[in-house]
Amino acid sequence: MKVSVDRSLCYGSAECAHRAPDVFAFEDGYGVVRPGREEAADDPRVLEAVEKCPSQAIALR
Ligand code: SF4
């Protein structure tokens, strides 16, 4: 599975970047998946970030 952030939904709370800073970054007011870290979807912190994102902007596919 791959993790991605839908920028159109992101509130910019930065919670994902605090929860899993090696997977997510906070850039220009939005959460982003760090390049090359899209495959980290099985990381428990990524799953937690998906659950806790206040705008449900993080997707696993
Ligand atoms: S936790 Fe969700 S709303 Fe907050 S920055 Fe990350 S993707 Fe955006």
Side-chain angles (χ1 to χ4, degrees):
M1 287 215 286
K2 291 193 174 182
V3 61
S4 61
V5 173
D6 183 339
R7 184 172 283 217
S8 68
L9 296 176
C10 174
Y11 286 176
S13 69
E15 287 172 53
C16 54
H18 286 298
R19 207 173 297 278
D22 57 322
V23 177
F24 300 99
F26 192 65
E27 292 179 2
D28 301 327
Y30 297 98
V32 297
V33 178
R34 291 186 182 279
R37 298 295 282 144
E38 297 85 358
E39 304 283 351
D42 293 335
D43 185 319
R45 296 166 309 146
V46 171
L47 300 178
E48 197 177 334
V50 171
E51 287 176 12
K52 304 278 169 112
C53 172
S55 62
Q56 300 176 336
I58 307 172
L60 298 177
R61 301 196 185 95

